[in-house]
Amino acid sequence: MSQSFAFRLVATAGAARAGEMTTPHGIVHTPAFMPVGTQAAVKGVHHDDVRAAGTEILLANTYHLMLRPSAERVAALGGLHAFMRWPYPIITDSGGFQVMSLAPLRQITENGVVFRSHLDGALVDLTPERAVEVQALLGSDIAMQLDECVKLPAERREIERAMRLSLRWAERCKRAFETAPKGRALFGIVQGGDDLNLRQESLRALGDIGFDGYALGGLAVGETQDVMLNVVAEIAPALPSARPRYLMGVGTPADILDAIARGIDMFDCVLPTRNGRHGLAFTRFGPINLKNAHHAGDPRPLDAQSGCPAARDFSRAYLHHLFRSGEALGGTLLSIINLYYYQELVAEARAAIAADRYADYVAQTKEQWLAKRDLHGS
Amino acid sequence: MSQSFAFRLVATAGAARAGEMTTPHGIVHTPAFMPVGTQAAVKGVHHDDVRAAGTEILLANTYHLMLRPSAERVAALGGLHAFMRWPYPIITDSGGFQVMSLAPLRQITENGVVFRSHLDGALVDLTPERAVEVQALLGSDIAMQLDECVKLPAERREIERAMRLSLRWAERCKRAFETAPKGRALFGIVQGGDDLNLRQESLRALGDIGFDGYALGGLAVGETQDVMLNVVAEIAPALPSARPRYLMGVGTPADILDAIARGIDMFDCVLPTRNGRHGLAFTRFGPINLKNAHHAGDPRPLDAQSGCPAARDFSRAYLHHLFRSGEALGGTLLSIINLYYYQELVAEARAAIAADRYADYVAQTKEQWLAKRDLHGS
């Protein structure tokens, strides 16, 4: 608990970066994939398995935790690390994104956002200052500023309004964060939708305020992958190179590889666990849908060379059977398998960047997804 | 895979027995608790956790597996041990009990039972010979005879008819079993409801046929605990002492302790996992309902002295939060905690029998369930 937040670049390969992020709860190697523990739990997966998969940092959702069990209760129970028994780094979002997507009634003003809890209808006030306070109570190693995220496509005027409001909130978050316990980090969030000029303006203003790291927000919210990667390619290299860069809510294995190539260091996404629960495995041979009937008699494991015991030891036939039978263990095993795959993907990316062969690594990985599809089925 | 089925008594304490059962897949120490892996999976719990809890033998349900994925498919995939990756002993039921409780249409004749699959409506024929064949295809270390189980209370005439039919089926199962792979075991099932004379007649006839072990069936099917324990007390000691004795489908921790005291060696029950999924923990301090609101702020673990990491490491507040939030991890953790508790209970029973202090052990255990209730809440 003694180390203060810090980041150092270890290697680069083109725009791709490998780094080391120090936090009060330990070191995170970047590029890093952060599984989502929405309600202080990664859905269906024991923390020990999340860790064993290679996870160095978890994301938890402020919106959910402030409503239940409440930030004050978590603080009284020793903070999120103690509460959920995850002694490693934790990042929290600000709650803003999920207010927009989950709360039944919400009103955005200059002051912040007022919304009704989707749980009990209670009226809740989320200001930039409160967002920082809640994250401090949770004890997260990395807190995010409150921002307003606009779904794409949207009018330029609407994107611009939300971007400027997010900037003013960024300033207030930064001030509020000065009273938070020392050593933790606060990240600013670049907004501006698919408008590169607005994005540039946002990132310059955030850089002037000064944050411990910078996120790209408002992506993976309805736009095509091309649009997203174009924004990332233009904006990531313009961010301060001495700070970590986080692409929020992204994505598929391909998204992650392509965004790393464009200079992103951190990712969070529910895909490995959500798709796992629905029967889809991410593997070196591309995605494999275990619900398909042709797996019913297949004695092969998903990947005999995987670092994940479940991917090596259980047959496709057995995994198929679990899904056909409605056994929750199927979703749990595939979530674990997918978490291992995502962590393996970024671990290999780190090694490839260190060896200055990142482009080759991406090309080989994508080729393997396609080339073995016929052999391994989907 | 080389050892043939065998049983030897290690110690007795009153009517209570400690023993060692050898099977083709390893040794089982008795009294033994056998978790239920209905569809080749213990609901919500990874096999590694089932094993770590101290489980030496699993029960799988023939009815479910013969319908999906089918006994022939399991056999083609190497048998149940390979299919589910559980290399330790497995016992299967005959399918009869669940035909009676789950199949929408069923007709019992001298030949067997014909029923419609609850999955696809297909007409299925389950004869004594087929029940033995299916269990041989599954590769179970211990197979059960097909029997007819009558719900209590029932007319004596009905109980008697089912008991005599079960005896004739027992003979046919024994004959069919002669062609099964060597080394495995077949158990007979004593029927006769709550009628001790019928039970005595059943057990004598079964003993004449000769089985590797004997089960008490048709209990825990609606009668009171007193009635059940009375049947056990009268019948268990009359069973061949050189063979293991199995009380099917029982029960609560108290049921198990009381039945061990009356000479039972083996138990199976869904309670630890079913109750776990519903928020109820079995502990040294009695049952604790984690859904109760008064756990919300309780930082204490369920049992700091437990052999189960989840019982030691997670706070009651966190477990409560998982149930309140609908996180499946809560049910998984409590299922694991309960499996550890059940296995701890029978392990301590074995030690107490070996030390000839079983009655004391039961008295102390029950006292602790009650005495600490005020302190630990329920």
Side-chain angles (χ1 to χ4, degrees), chain A residues 10-22:
Chain A
V10 173
T12 59
R17 300 143 46 99
E20 207 177 87
M21 204 161 63
T22 304

Side-chain angles (χ1 to χ4, degrees), chain A residues 300-315 319 333 337 340:
Chain A
R300 294 176 305 162
L302 274 171
D303 182 354
Q305 262 77 56
S306 170
C308 174
R312 288 192 311 261
D313 297 346
F314 293 107
S315 67
L319 296 171
L333 292 177
I337 287 169
Y340 268 86

Side-chain angles (χ1 to χ4, degrees), chain A residues 38-47 65 68-69 73 77 83-85 296-299 310 313-315 317-318 321-322 324-329 332-333 336, chain B residues 38-47 65 68-69 73 77 83-85 296-299 310 313-315 317-318 321-322 324-329 332-333 336:
Chain A
T38 300
Q39 305 186 104
V42 175
K43 288 209 181 302
V45 182
H46 194 293
H47 307 350
L65 293 171
R68 185 175 56 198
R73 170 146 277 159
L77 289 162
F83 178 60
M84 67 181 291
R85 202 199 61 121
D298 192 338
D313 297 346
F314 293 107
S315 67
Y318 181 65
H321 166 72
L322 293 178
R324 289 275 298 180
S325 306
E327 286 287 340
L329 183 62
T332 292
L333 292 177
I336 294 171
Chain B
T38 301
Q39 305 186 104
V42 176
K43 288 208 182 303
V45 182
H46 193 294
H47 307 350
L65 293 172
R68 184 176 56 199
R73 169 145 278 159
L77 289 162
F83 177 59
M84 66 181 293
R85 203 198 58 122
D298 193 338
D313 297 345
F314 292 108
S315 67
Y318 181 65
H321 165 73
L322 292 178
R324 290 274 298 181
S325 306
E327 286 287 340
L329 183 62
T332 293
L333 291 177
I336 293 171

